[in-house]
Amino acid sequence: MNDVHIAHATQLVKETHEGALPRPVIKSFFDEPTYTASHVVYDPKTREAAIIDSVLNYDPASGRTSCESAQAVLDFIKNENLTIVWQLETHAHADHLSAAPWLQEQLGGKLAIGAEITRVQEVFGKIFNAGTRFARDGSQFDHLFRDGDRFMIGEIEAMALHVPGHTPADMAFVIGDAAFIGDTLFMPDFGTARADFPGGDARQLYRSIRRLLSLPAETRLFLCHDYKAPGRDFYAWETTIGAQRESNLHVHDGVSEDEFVEMRTKRDATLSLPNLIMPSVQINMRGGRLPEPEENGTRYIKIPLDTL
């Protein structure tokens, strides 16, 4: 990981915060069944926008999908007369299904994720025995971001930062003075993401987090999940770099890498798998698209026994 990229992201945040560059407007949507925060970020001047980490509703008891959460995003975008240029995924989520293809059909925009999605596809393609028809080259996405890649949302400059550890493919998107950091960090009173999925690494996660925490203290952070920390009776998904450095439960300033790795490893050993990991990973590694129908015209989710 290149510190030159962090230096540029730092300058981007500072110039936006000081008013030299346009400041993005952000509208967040919270899907309580999956505890997922999705975000629409847009340039108020050009009305160009990106959707980040959208949610397709899924009922595991019936196997039915629906679009209530995505419809709320769609309605907002139409009401605000926004033009979608990007459908961004911070990683291949294990706790909710992506609605990006459905939203893309309605609104357009390039579907993008980190380039290391190919590693996730390779590992989980084998776990789910996806077969030779399942491409493991990231071709299900329109664009694969690499560390330091720059892009635009209207007149607002943005940068992709590779922040592996939770999964190999995690990306953070610094857009103006805001950073969308996926599952690397939660609210300060809840801590950090797990690192025990295939391809995860607690030591790598610590280094990715410290890299993010080198951004300016005033950087607005938008998270992908919230689970209500003990003693807090409301959901929250926005914080700042400064708040994380001062009081994050697991990785505030002063916590060493070895201390973090010991804590994270012990904590992860006590966690159950996410309820929706089986459908989520199979669909999200395909860019949010459902598996191909079988001979009878029905699509199926596989559950490997005694594997995960």
Side-chain angles (χ1 to χ4, degrees):
M1 293 187 288
N2 194 331
D3 287 340
V4 172
H5 301 327
I6 283 291
H8 181 83
T10 295
Q11 187 63 29
L12 175 63
V13 171
K14 287 182 176 178
E15 290 182 12
T16 306
H17 184 72
E18 292 168 358
L21 296 175
R23 190 172 192 254
V25 178
I26 296 152
K27 171 68 174 177
S28 299
F29 300 81
F30 191 72
D31 180 67
E32 190 167 344
T34 62
Y35 308 103
T36 303
S38 305
H39 311 285
V40 175
V41 52
Y42 66 93
D43 176 357
K45 181 178 179 181
T46 67
R47 314 300 287 178
E48 289 193 356
I51 302 170
I52 303 175
D53 291 336
S54 59
V55 174
L56 180 72
N57 301 101
Y58 175 75
D59 176 21
S62 66
R64 293 189 177 276
T65 61
S66 58
C67 299
E68 289 90 347
S69 291
Q71 185 66 50
V73 175
L74 176 65
D75 292 344
F76 171 80
I77 288 164
K78 289 188 172 181
N79 289 339
E80 293 296 319
N81 195 29
L82 304 179
T83 299
I84 299 302
V85 292
W86 291 100
Q87 305 267 355
L88 302 176
E89 297 288 341
T90 55
H91 62 294
H93 308 277
D95 37 31
H96 72 273
L97 283 61
S98 170
W102 185 83
L103 286 166
Q104 191 177 39
E105 287 179 5
Q106 317 297 318
L107 299 165
K110 291 182 179 180
L111 174 57
I113 200 168
E116 294 299 314
I117 186 62
T118 56
R119 291 179 57 192
V120 175
Q121 290 175 329
E122 187 63 36
V123 169
F124 282 98
K126 291 178 181 177
I127 289 174
F128 291 114
N129 196 28
T132 57
R133 293 179 63 190
F134 171 57
R136 293 158 169 82
D137 59 1
S139 57
Q140 299 86 347
F141 300 85
D142 301 314
H143 186 81
L144 301 180
F145 281 111
R146 298 188 181 278
D147 188 47
D149 283 354
R150 304 180 193 182
F151 59 104
M152 300 296 292
I153 299 174
E155 297 180 2
I156 297 175
E157 187 176 355
M159 173 175 274
L161 297 175
H162 186 212
V163 287
H166 174 59
T167 80
D170 282 64
M171 300 298 290
F173 299 105
V174 179
I175 303 173
D177 69 336
F180 301 83
I181 61 172
D183 288 10
T184 51
L185 289 163
F186 299 132
M187 291 299 288
D189 58 1
F190 200 86
T192 59
R194 65 195 298 167
D196 60 329
F197 294 152
D201 185 286
R203 198 167 295 279
Q204 197 172 48
L205 177 61
Y206 177 88
R207 294 171 185 175
S208 292
I209 289 171
R210 294 313 307 180
R211 190 180 190 220
L212 286 172
L213 294 184
S214 69
L215 290 169
E218 64 269 18
T219 307
R220 294 184 288 163
L221 290 189
F222 290 85
L223 315 179
C224 190
H225 295 288
D226 186 57
Y227 303 97
K228 286 186 185 175
R232 175 159 54 85
D233 60 2
F234 58 91
Y235 292 109
W237 47 82
E238 180 180 354
T239 180
T240 65
I241 287 290
Q244 295 282 10
R245 287 163 63 174
E246 180 180 349
S247 59
N248 184 281
L249 188 66
H250 297 160
V251 73
H252 58 79
D253 286 352
V255 174
S256 72
E257 182 174 320
D258 287 343
E259 288 171 334
F260 176 81
V261 169
E262 181 181 8
M263 177 282 302
R264 190 70 264 173
T265 302
K266 288 181 178 178
R267 180 174 172 81
D268 288 350
T270 71
L271 300 177
S272 301
L273 288 174
N275 291 335
L276 297 184
I277 188 171
M278 298 298 180
S280 295
V281 174
Q282 288 177 77
I283 289 170
N284 294 337
M285 71 182 186
R286 292 176 165 88
R289 295 172 182 84
L290 303 179
E292 290 295 319
E294 297 193 6
E295 292 82 358
N296 62 357
T298 300
R299 304 174 191 269
Y300 291 90
I301 295 295
K302 296 180 178 179
I303 300 178
L305 299 179
D306 303 320
T307 301
L308 293 175

